[in-house]
């Protein structure tokens, strides 16, 4: 269908503007691309060659259109079996593109990818070097672009380039495990959680800009990053025709200077922009421990699963890689195990049986590589984010929690300590909100009743209206959550810990958004939720992505707007969401969590069903509430993997807060509390003790 349209355009431009006009040549080159796709290689070659010849003559050899034709012709030559000619032309195109357009221009990526394909067909050993270079540059490109686009469009960028990342991971699966393990950990450092990390840093800049002394610096940084992203995509403009690379270098230097200046004012911001390296992981990994990071990927519609491993022997780093043969079976096993644990009619023996299968499939291959190490840091991916790792059953028939101290991280970056000053605030406890309460200020209520409430222009408020299904939210009150809050307030009193306890109507979202000081511990007992994505929007996005070589992605369906916590007033306000101020509408989304300043907060406990869930992006981890609280400055986050009955929750929380009050660190306090319940007759079932998981430093 495209072919006659391109031919018609070519004839029209040729007649109206002449053979050498840029529009005519663009139509000629596009018609050749169609012929390539149709397999009509001789005619495609003729047209590509003619377009290239005339473009060089009329536009000069360094013009972007000339580079475009060179890339297209190189790809055709490869498919025609003329690999040597294709390689020579692709190398010429790359040199021209880098020299005139800059190292991160989309045409440069196309030349590198084309060269990689050529070398892979010839099984050349340098093929992986090109794939690694492509990965490294694409990571830099995404760092640059994600900073300069909207919250929703960032997901579009990640989706657009996911196939490229999948190809990189698939190559690692066939390499020497010692080399591939290190390379996979590099992928985790550069790309895992990249969406949320960037969103967090942007919002920190906005927050720092509220300080009059820093406003000029934050505004200048935002504007400079936008200029840098724009010039990276556009290539030389009339203003930068002869100085393009010099201008880009100047903007890069200015960004580094401004980030350094803001980093001096905020350790939290500095933590985000300073890169973590493999050497940092090696330095901070304890001698008798190990790090295991999982990666799901798709390669030509087939799923893959890897686990990169790092351990140390006498100070020397040793890398390894586990390649799992049947990822689909593992994903099914995770779902089956969660179902078995939550089955009210199931006995512990049946749970242990599935738990043993999960151990043999998932953990045993790692144990073979790391030996009897008792301390293991684990970075899950995909569905593994909702697997209760400590509840897997080992070969001796015991739960993994007994013999292995598992530290769950949402990113291997968390292995490196942040050293933020500890928060000096008290315990802040919000529990059992009155979801039916009217929490709106009288003025806002009057505006809504009169029908004059208008959607705010602020992007944060506009985005709320895009969250599919948000207006249909309705929650029943939770007497057990109120009881849990009172219990923790009593425990805090017993340990002589100052605290603020807010319940029912007072358990409002606005309390968190208006905090002056970060609390030492934040405990929230309420409903959590995660809404399904808008499938119609997702289908439209996929169609656009398949549409070809667009460099600007379509907007995404932001998962940070679909994960949240319910507070007082949500039922009363639900029908107005998107038409009212979001600061006290009763819904705290993961995106809004990034606006909080929880720097140095020792622990956040999200005692609500589904708070451990989120968008299960492969390569992104759980893009939801728990990572958002970490990005807001919380050192460790406890969240729930499923809904637990009130008595079981209170038993765990009583043990946990008793230990926290004695000064025990959060990870150890939770683990010892879980082991206590495991030893008891009443609470030994993993449905109770394994429901809460911790991620953090």
């Amino acid at each position: 269908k495209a072919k006659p349209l391109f031919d018609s355009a070519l004839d029209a431009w040729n007649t109206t503007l002449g053979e050498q006009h840029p529009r005519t040549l663009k139509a000629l080159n596009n018609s050749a691309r169609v012929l390539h796709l149709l397999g009509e290689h001789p005619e495609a070659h003729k047209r590509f060659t003619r377009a290239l010849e005339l473009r060089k003559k009329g536009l000069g050899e360094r013009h972007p259109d000339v580079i475009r034709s060179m890339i297209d012709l190189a790809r055709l030559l490869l498919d025609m079996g003329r690999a040597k000619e294709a390689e020579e032309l692709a190398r010429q195109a790359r040199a021209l593109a880098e020299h005139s357009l800059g190292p991160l221009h989309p045409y440069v990526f196309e030349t590198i990818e084309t060269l990689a394909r050529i070398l892979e067909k010839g099984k050349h050993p340098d093929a992986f070097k090109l794939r690694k270079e492509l990965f490294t540059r694409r990571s830099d490109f995404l760092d640059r672009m994600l900073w300069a686009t909207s919250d929703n469009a960032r997901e579009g960028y990640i989706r657009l380039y996911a196939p490229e990342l999948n190809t990189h991971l698939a190559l690692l699966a066939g390499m020497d495990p010692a080399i591939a393990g290190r390379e996979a950990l590099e992928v985790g450092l550069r790309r895992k959680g990249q969406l949320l990390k960037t969103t967090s840093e942007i919002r920190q800049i906005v927050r720092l800009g509220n300080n009059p002394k820093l406003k000029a610096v934050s505004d200048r940084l935002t504007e400079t990053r936008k200029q840098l992203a724009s010039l990276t995509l556009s290539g030389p403009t009339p203003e930068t025709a002869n100085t393009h690379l010099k201008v880009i270098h100047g903007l890069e230097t200015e960004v580094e200077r401004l980030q350094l200046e803001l980093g001096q004012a905020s350790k939290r911001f500095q933590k985000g922009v300073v890169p973590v390296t493999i050497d940092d992981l090696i330095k901070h990994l304890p001698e008798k421990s190990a790090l295991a990071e999982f990666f799901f990927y798709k390669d030509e519609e087939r799923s893959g699963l890897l686990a990169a491993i790092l351990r140390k022997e006498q100070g020397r780093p040793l890398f390894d890689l586990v390649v799992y043969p049947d990822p689909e079976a593992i994903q099914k096993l995770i779902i089956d195990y969660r179902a078995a644990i939550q089955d009210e009619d199931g006995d512990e023996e049946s749970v242990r049986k599935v738990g043993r299968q999960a151990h043999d499939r998932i953990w045993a291959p790692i144990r073979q590589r790391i030996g009897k190490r008792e301390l293991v840091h684990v970075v899950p991916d995909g569905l593994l984010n909702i697997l209760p790792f400590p509840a897997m059953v080992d070969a001796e028939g015991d739960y993994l929690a007994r013999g292995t101290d598992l530290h769950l991280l949402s990113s291997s970056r968390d292995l490196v300590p942040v050293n933020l000053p500890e928060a000096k605030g008290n315990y802040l406890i919000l529990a059992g909100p009155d979801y039916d309460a009217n929490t709106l200020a009288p003025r806002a209520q009057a505006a809504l009743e009169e029908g004059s409430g208008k959607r705010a222009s602020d992007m944060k408020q506009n985005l709320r209206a895009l969250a599919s299904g948000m207006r249909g939210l309705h929650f029943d009150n939770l007497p057990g959550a109120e009881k849990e809050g009172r219990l923790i307030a009593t425990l805090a009193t017993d340990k002589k810990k100052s605290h603020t306890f807010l319940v029912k109507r007072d358990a409002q979202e606005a309390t968190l958004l208006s905090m002056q000081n970060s609390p030492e511990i934040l405990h929230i007992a309420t409903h959590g939720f995660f809404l399904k994505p808008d499938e119609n929007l997702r289908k439209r996005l996929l169609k656009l992505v398949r549409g070809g070589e667009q460099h600007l992605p379509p907007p995404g369906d932001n998962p940070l707007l679909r994960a949240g916590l319910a507070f007082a007033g949500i039922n009363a306000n639900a029908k107005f969401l998107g038409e009212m101020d979001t600061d006290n509408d009763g819904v705290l989304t993961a995106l809004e969590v990034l606006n909080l300043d929880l720097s140095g907060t020792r622990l956040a406990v999200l005692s609500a069903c589904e708070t451990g869930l989120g968008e299960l992006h492969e390569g992104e981890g759980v893009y939801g509430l728990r990572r958002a609280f970490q990005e807001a400055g919380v050192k460790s986050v406890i969240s729930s993997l499923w809904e637990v009955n009130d008595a079981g929750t209170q038993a765990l929380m009583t043990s946990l807060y008793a230990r926290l009050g004695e000064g025990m660190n959060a990870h150890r306090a939770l683990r010892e509390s879980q082991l206590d319940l495991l030893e008891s007759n009443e609470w030994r079932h993993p449905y109770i003790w394994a429901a809460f998981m911790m991620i953090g430093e």
Side-chain angles (χ1 to χ4, degrees):
K1 291 181 180 180
K3 184 178 183 297
L5 294 172
F6 277 121
D7 288 343
S8 177
L10 176 59
D11 289 341
W13 291 133
N14 197 32
T15 301
T16 308
L17 301 174
E19 183 185 37
Q20 296 191 29
H21 193 280
R23 290 186 181 179
T24 307
L25 295 176
K26 181 169 288 188
L28 178 61
N29 200 79
N30 282 338
S31 69
R33 295 175 73 168
V34 171
L35 292 168
H36 184 182
L37 290 169
L38 291 172
E40 299 178 24
H41 292 171
E43 181 60 25
H45 183 269
K46 179 181 176 181
R47 295 193 185 192
F48 276 139
T49 303
R50 183 63 174 163
L52 178 56
E53 176 188 341
L54 292 177
R55 279 176 160 176
K56 282 183 178 180
K57 182 178 179 180
L59 301 172
E61 294 198 354
R62 298 183 183 278
H63 194 277
D65 287 358
V66 172
I67 298 170
R68 173 76 271 158
S69 287
M70 294 174 73
I71 296 170
D72 292 337
L73 181 54
R75 288 175 169 175
L76 174 65
L77 290 169
L78 177 61
D79 289 346
M80 293 175 71
R82 296 160 65 175
K84 188 173 181 180
E85 295 172 71
E87 181 179 351
E88 183 179 350
L89 189 58
R91 292 192 184 279
Q92 291 174 12
R94 176 181 177 178
L96 285 172
E98 290 185 334
H99 187 267
S100 58
L101 304 178
L104 300 184
H105 188 275
Y107 285 2
V108 174
F109 288 107
E110 289 191 51
T111 61
I112 297 174
E113 197 276 337
T114 300
L115 281 168
R117 283 177 52 204
I118 293 168
L119 296 188
E120 284 163 359
K121 280 202 170 185
K123 303 190 182 301
H124 195 286
D126 286 344
F128 179 73
K129 291 181 181 178
L130 285 169
R131 288 289 178 190
K132 181 178 180 180
E133 184 176 2
L134 188 63
F135 163 78
T136 302
R137 291 203 192 192
R138 183 67 74 191
S139 299
D140 293 340
F141 173 85
L142 288 172
D143 283 341
R144 185 168 295 182
M145 294 302 136
L146 296 181
W147 270 83
T149 190
S150 68
D151 288 327
N152 270 23
R154 287 184 202 112
E155 189 194 25
Y157 267 111
I158 296 297
R159 286 186 184 279
L160 193 59
Y161 299 114
E164 191 178 272
L165 181 61
N166 286 334
T167 298
H168 185 72
L169 289 169
L171 284 173
L172 296 181
M175 292 174 54
D176 181 311
I179 297 173
R182 183 180 185 117
E183 296 294 341
L185 288 174
E186 187 71 46
V187 171
L189 287 175
R190 292 301 306 270
R191 301 289 273 276
K192 193 167 279 189
Q194 191 175 23
L195 283 169
L196 202 145
K197 176 177 177 290
T198 302
T199 304
S200 173
E201 288 164 9
I202 290 170
R203 289 179 176 259
Q204 288 179 59
I205 290 175
V206 173
R207 178 182 289 276
L208 290 169
N210 293 331
N211 182 335
K213 295 180 180 179
L214 299 174
K215 179 171 174 51
V217 180
S218 63
D219 289 350
R220 175 63 180 158
L221 177 57
T222 300
E223 182 58 32
T224 303
R225 277 194 165 277
K226 288 181 178 179
Q227 292 176 10
L228 182 56
S230 178
L231 275 180
T232 298
L233 281 179
S234 71
T237 65
E239 295 78 17
T240 67
N242 299 316
T243 59
H244 182 67
L245 296 186
K246 184 177 180 181
V247 171
I248 283 184
H249 179 69
L251 291 171
E252 291 171 340
T253 302
E254 180 71 354
V255 165
E256 291 177 3
R257 184 188 69 79
L258 293 168
Q259 287 185 166
L260 179 61
E261 191 168 343
L262 285 182
Q264 291 172 343
S266 169
K267 287 188 176 181
R268 179 181 159 201
F269 177 74
Q270 186 181 53
K271 163 218 168 187
V273 297
V274 174
V276 175
T277 67
I278 295 292
D279 287 341
D280 292 325
L281 298 184
I282 295 169
K283 176 182 177 182
H284 291 283
L285 182 70
E287 180 74 24
K288 295 183 179 180
S289 72
L291 169 67
E293 180 164 10
F294 290 91
F295 300 88
F296 276 103
Y297 65 92
K298 288 185 178 179
D299 180 33
E300 298 179 353
E301 302 304 318
R302 294 174 299 170
S303 295
L305 175 60
L306 309 174
I309 295 171
L310 169 62
R311 67 188 194 278
K312 287 198 291 193
E313 296 286 354
Q314 299 178 341
R316 186 169 66 93
L318 298 173
F319 297 91
D320 209 334
L321 188 78
V322 175
V323 180
Y324 291 88
D326 194 348
E328 288 87 356
I330 287 176
Q331 291 175 321
K332 182 180 183 301
L333 194 53
I334 293 169
I335 295 170
D336 290 347
Y337 192 32
R338 285 172 53 86
I341 290 177
Q342 297 175 71
D343 184 0
E344 295 180 2
D345 298 325
D347 56 31
E348 190 179 352
E349 191 56 39
S350 62
V351 171
R352 283 176 173 271
K353 181 179 179 181
V354 187
R356 173 65 188 275
Q357 293 173 355
H359 175 276
D360 291 350
R361 286 266 191 158
I362 300 167
W363 195 251
I366 291 175
R367 178 60 73 191
Q368 290 173 3
R369 266 58 168 206
I370 66 175
K372 293 293 185 179
R373 284 171 169 77
E374 295 181 1
L375 173 59
V376 186
H377 304 271
V378 179
V379 186
D381 194 24
L383 277 179
L384 288 164
N385 277 289
I386 57 173
L387 170 70
F389 276 86
M392 289 190 287
V393 179
D394 63 22
E396 285 72 43
D398 209 350
Y399 291 112
L400 195 59
R402 288 190 197 272
T404 305
D405 185 1
L406 294 166
H407 284 247
L408 292 175
L409 312 174
S410 56
S411 167
S412 57
R413 292 190 296 269
D414 296 340
L415 194 63
V416 179
V418 179
N419 297 324
L420 289 173
E422 289 196 3
K424 301 299 182 184
N426 58 7
Y427 284 21
L428 176 58
I429 306 159
L430 295 94
D434 180 356
Y435 304 117
D436 298 315
N438 180 358
T439 59
L440 295 179
R443 182 177 175 184
Q445 182 65 41
L448 286 170
E449 289 174 354
E450 293 169 7
S452 61
K454 294 183 179 179
R455 198 167 292 172
S457 59
D458 188 302
M459 177 60 73
K460 175 187 73 173
Q461 297 177 25
N462 257 335
L463 286 176
R464 172 62 60 74
L466 299 176
S468 175
M470 189 75 78
R471 291 189 178 188
L473 292 176
H474 186 276
F475 298 101
D476 295 328
N477 288 326
L478 294 172
E482 179 182 342
K483 185 176 179 181
E484 178 184 327
R486 294 190 185 282
L487 171 68
I488 291 163
T490 300
L491 291 169
T493 300
D494 292 344
K495 296 296 182 181
K496 297 183 171 53
K497 295 287 185 179
S498 61
H499 63 276
T500 299
F501 175 46
L502 300 173
V503 68
K504 294 184 177 178
R505 177 185 172 82
D506 295 329
Q508 296 187 19
E509 174 194 9
T511 301
L512 293 171
L513 298 173
S514 61
M515 289 184 303
Q516 297 300 310
N517 297 304
S518 303
E520 178 189 352
I521 290 179
L522 173 63
H523 188 101
I524 302 175
T526 183
H527 280 293
F529 65 87
F530 183 73
L531 302 177
K532 292 182 179 179
D534 183 336
E535 288 302 324
N536 289 329
L537 174 59
R538 181 157 294 186
K539 289 175 183 176
R540 292 199 302 273
L541 294 179
L542 290 173
K543 285 182 180 178
L544 285 168
V545 169
R546 285 196 293 264
E549 300 174 24
Q550 74 276 15
H551 300 137
L552 290 171
D557 184 12
N558 195 336
L560 287 180
L561 287 164
R562 292 188 269 107
L565 298 170
F567 287 90
I570 174 55
N571 291 344
N573 300 336
K575 61 183 177 180
F576 301 121
L577 294 178
E579 304 292 340
M580 59 183 289
D581 192 305
T582 61
D583 286 348
N584 203 34
D585 57 10
V587 177
L588 183 72
T589 64
L591 189 64
E592 289 175 303
V593 171
L594 297 179
N595 292 328
L596 304 179
D597 185 3
L598 295 169
S599 299
T601 291
R602 181 180 168 196
L603 175 67
V605 181
L606 311 180
S607 182
C609 61
E610 294 192 337
T611 54
L613 306 185
E615 185 82 340
L616 295 174
H617 281 286
E618 291 164 356
E620 277 297 309
V622 174
Y623 192 52
L625 280 169
R626 65 193 195 194
R627 183 65 194 179
F629 274 94
Q630 276 191 289
E631 289 291 341
V634 177
K635 294 187 174 182
S636 297
V637 180
I638 293 176
S639 59
S640 54
L641 292 172
W642 51 77
E643 190 173 3
V644 182
N645 64 44
D646 294 338
T649 300
Q650 289 162 18
L652 180 64
M653 293 300 168
T654 298
S655 180
L656 171 68
Y657 275 91
R659 288 176 164 85
L660 291 171
E662 294 166 359
M664 188 178 292
N665 74 59
H667 172 82
R668 183 181 170 195
L670 177 63
R671 181 166 188 255
E672 291 194 5
S673 298
Q674 290 176 318
L675 290 174
D676 277 355
L677 267 61
L678 180 54
E679 296 295 338
S680 70
N681 289 326
E682 188 174 6
W683 309 116
R684 59 176 290 122
H685 196 287
Y687 163 72
I688 302 295
W689 62 265
F692 289 91
M693 65 176 296
M694 176 183 290
I695 61 168
E697 293 183 18

